[in-house]
Amino acid sequence: MGLPAFELVVAEHGPVVLRVCRAVVGPHDAEDAWSETFLAAFAAYPRLRPDSDVRGWLVTIAHRKAVDRIRATARAPMPVDALPESTASDAEAVEPDSELWEALAALPPKQRGAVVYHYVAGLRYAEVGGLLETSEAAARRAAADGIASLRSTLGRKGQL
Amino acid sequence: MSTPRHDRLVDSLCSAEAAADGGTMASLHSRLVDQAAAEGLLDVAYRTLDSTLGSLLLAATPAGLLRVAYPSEGHDRVLADLAARVSPRLLHAPARLDVAAREIEEYLARRRRHFDVTLDLQLAHGFRRVVLAHLREIDYGATASYKAVAAAAGRPKAVRAVGTACATNPVPIVVPCHRVLRSDGTLGGYAGGIEAKRGLLALESAIERPATRELGSPTPPTGEILTES
């Protein structure tokens, strides 16, 4: 069979990609980032190979859009370093996960990327390494360091 | 690795599906529809319409109404088929089918006899498309035989092909394949089920009148197609 109707792609992956956007660009810009991502995906969709990992493809687009967004607004030397700074002061930070987003935003960019793309997006470390322009092993280490750091931060705040 | 695979932190990171609230996704979805349409990317829009005939699926391209599907056809199957045959750039976009939905509702409420909505008949090819054009000449409340339609379409012997054209009509109700009966006056088949066909004919008051069997129909036939040879 060919590609499923894009409506099914939105239903199946939309919420995960929104959560990835929140974690990567912060709650304030997450919805714009989601819209950019899905419009670009919609335009390119007919050319996607039917056996592709659709979630990985969407997250890759979201990552590139996030990088573009940061490059447009700041002087960012490297994609990996271009993940934005903390957005915890945003008004929308009242959502239930705000402590988590705050702690994520405080991580070094590579650790944050590794944690988000592996744990939130569900990508394999090989894919995470590809996105962050590093090796699979380095992505795995960055995620482990990030998780340890989150655990320490949130534990101190009595969250975990 | 010594990292525990299941703990509260990892769980809360992973619980993406549970965390997205429906209102946000709905507004993001409608923004996507608007942007895609504005950029000319929305190849197929669809909606469902609750009706006396069950939940109908309506789909349209920018060119016009593409598909009307009965529940018995399986909406998921119909969408998969449209994605494969027309375009996978297909979204739930009810507003883009307002005209078609309103006309069908009016028709089913006996407040409309003719459809004005523009059609996109790209799903019908060759002789089948010719047949659809002739079906549209059968008046509201009238009926014709498969044989008469075949003759009108220029292939008097292609009675079975007319049956196939009716069975594969991508826009039933709007293109009235339900008005085609067997020469002996029995109903023949229908994609929406024989009860739906009977219901539509009753709605148009074509079925309960004795004249039905003569194919001429109660109202004077306007096209030669209505006169069985």
Side-chain angles (χ1 to χ4, degrees), chain A residues 6-7 19 32 42-43 151, chain B residues 7 12 19 29 31 88-89 92:
Chain A
F6 197 80
E7 180 68 24
R19 196 164 163 90
D32 286 345
F42 192 68
R151 208 182 295 289
Chain B
D7 59 27
S12 58
H29 185 285
R31 204 202 301 188
R89 282 200 293 230
H92 182 245

Side-chain angles (χ1 to χ4, degrees), chain B residues 65-136:
Chain B
L65 183 65
L66 174 75
R67 192 78 169 84
V68 174
Y70 281 103
S72 57
E73 300 179 73
H75 290 182
D76 290 347
R77 271 205 310 276
V78 172
L79 289 178
D81 179 64
L82 293 177
R85 291 171 69 192
V86 181
S87 169
R89 282 200 293 230
L90 189 161
L91 289 173
H92 182 245
R96 308 194 75 77
L97 287 137
D98 275 353
V99 172
R102 192 179 64 243
E103 290 193 4
I104 290 173
E105 281 179 324
E106 289 169 354
Y107 166 78
L108 292 175
R110 303 180 77 160
R111 286 187 279 113
R112 168 177 288 275
R113 289 170 158 245
H114 301 282
F115 287 96
D116 300 317
V117 64
T118 309
L119 300 182
D120 178 347
L121 293 177
Q122 66 167 289
L123 292 171
H125 302 283
F127 184 64
R128 293 183 187 177
R129 189 144 169 183
V130 173
V131 170
L132 296 186
H134 284 277
L135 295 183
R136 299 177 77 182

Side-chain angles (χ1 to χ4, degrees), chain A residues 1 3-7 10 12 14-16 18-19 22 31-32 34-35 38-39 42-46 55 97 100 104 115 118-120 140 144 147 150-151 154 159-160, chain B residues 1 3-5 7-10 12-17 19-21 24-25 27-29 31-32 35-36 39 41-43 46 79-80 83-84 87-92:
Chain A
M1 267 310 280
L3 293 161
F6 197 80
E7 180 68 24
V10 179
E12 186 175 351
V16 180
L18 179 58
R19 196 164 163 90
R22 281 184 185 143
E31 294 183 18
D32 286 345
W34 189 97
S35 289
F38 271 81
L39 186 61
F42 192 68
Y45 187 55
R55 182 177 297 191
D97 291 327
L100 181 57
L104 267 174
V115 168
H118 180 70
Y119 287 100
V120 182
R140 188 187 298 274
I147 288 288
L150 286 177
R151 208 182 295 289
L154 296 172
Q159 294 297 304
L160 292 170
Chain B
M1 306 300 281
T3 309
R5 303 305 294 178
D7 59 27
R8 283 177 59 195
L9 173 58
V10 171
S12 58
L13 285 166
C14 294
S15 64
E17 274 86 351
D21 84 88
T24 305
M25 283 312 303
S27 81
L28 287 173
H29 185 285
R31 204 202 301 188
L32 175 62
Q35 290 177 332
E39 298 202 10
L41 296 170
L42 183 52
D43 297 335
Y46 80 94
L79 289 178
S87 169
R89 282 200 293 230
L90 189 161
L91 289 173
H92 182 245

Side-chain angles (χ1 to χ4, degrees), chain A residues 37-113:
Chain A
T37 298
F38 271 81
L39 186 61
F42 192 68
Y45 187 55
R47 298 189 296 278
L48 186 68
R49 283 181 36 195
D51 57 350
S52 299
D53 165 17
V54 176
R55 182 177 297 191
W57 175 67
L58 290 168
V59 170
T60 302
I61 296 171
H63 173 73
R64 292 196 187 126
K65 291 286 174 192
V67 169
D68 289 349
R69 177 177 285 265
I70 303 311
R71 278 200 181 126
T73 54
R75 331 137 294 275
M78 293 283 289
V80 168
D81 296 329
L83 295 173
E85 293 311 310
S86 172
T87 51
S89 59
D90 282 339
E92 293 172 49
V94 291
E95 65 176 274
D97 291 327
S98 61
E99 295 280 1
L100 181 57
W101 300 141
E102 197 175 327
L104 267 174
L107 290 179
K110 191 172 288 190
Q111 287 184 20
R112 175 161 25 125

Side-chain angles (χ1 to χ4, degrees), chain B residues 30 126 148:
Chain B
S30 88

Side-chain angles (χ1 to χ4, degrees), chain A residues 140-159:
Chain A
R140 188 187 298 274
R141 266 197 312 278
D145 291 346
I147 288 288
S149 175
L150 286 177
R151 208 182 295 289
S152 151
T153 305
L154 296 172
R156 257 201 315 279
K157 290 183 177 174
Q159 294 297 304

